[in-house]
Amino acid sequence: VQLQASGGGLVQPGGSLRLSCAASGSIFSINVMDWYRQAPGKQRELVAHISSGGNTIYVDSVKGRFAISRDNAKNTVYLQMSSLKPEDTAVYYCRMIIVTMPTKVTSQYWGQGTQVTVSS
């Protein structure tokens, strides 16, 4: 299984970006889909979480500005980021809890990270 993240870039404060992360391989089902971020000199933090049932959780600093969603048919998770601030600058990583075929083993997988820079 591989996760491919995309959509990062340079954006001005107040702007928007949409991140995508697609999983490929021998996938039976995907339980949790998360977005994490890591800023320079800081620990990686959970930004947004979406369960298999569509329940979402956000870190307080992004509530009302970011929205996580998933397309189960495409094995893809999205992060719509709006009203971006300089403090949102970080490398963003997707993580998924995936049940693989044929053994039905459950494991976590990480994407390669995509840089988001918010600056004027």
Side-chain angles (χ1 to χ4, degrees):
V1 173
Q2 290 187 329
L3 273 57
Q4 181 67 46
S6 61
L10 173 64
V11 63
Q12 292 186 343
S16 298
L17 280 175
R18 189 195 195 204
L19 306 183
S20 300
C21 178
S24 61
S26 300
I27 297 169
F28 175 74
S29 64
I30 302 178
N31 299 333
V32 165
M33 295 181 172
D34 297 325
W35 285 99
Y36 284 74
R37 68 185 178 187
Q38 187 166 19
K42 295 188 176 181
Q43 291 189 337
R44 190 173 297 189
E45 67 170 349
L46 176 63
V47 176
H49 160 98
I50 186 165
S51 70
S52 57
N55 295 317
T56 58
I57 298 172
Y58 299 93
V59 67
D60 285 346
S61 60
V62 308
K63 285 180 180 177
R65 301 188 297 120
F66 290 11
I68 188 171
S69 60
R70 61 190 286 167
D71 184 333
N72 293 324
K74 296 181 178 180
N75 292 331
T76 299
V77 62
Y78 304 97
L79 186 67
Q80 179 67 48
M81 305 184 293
S82 304
S83 302
L84 282 161
K85 304 175 181 180
E87 51 264 44
D88 294 319
T89 296
V91 178
Y92 284 71
Y93 299 89
C94 54
R95 184 190 80 132
M96 298 186 187
I97 307 297
I98 297 176
V99 181
T100 54
M101 295 189 293
T103 57
K104 304 288 182 69
V105 171
T106 301
S107 303
Q108 72 169 358
Y109 296 87
W110 289 87
Q112 83 282 11
T114 183
Q115 177 71 47
V116 172
T117 302
V118 184
S119 174
S120 55

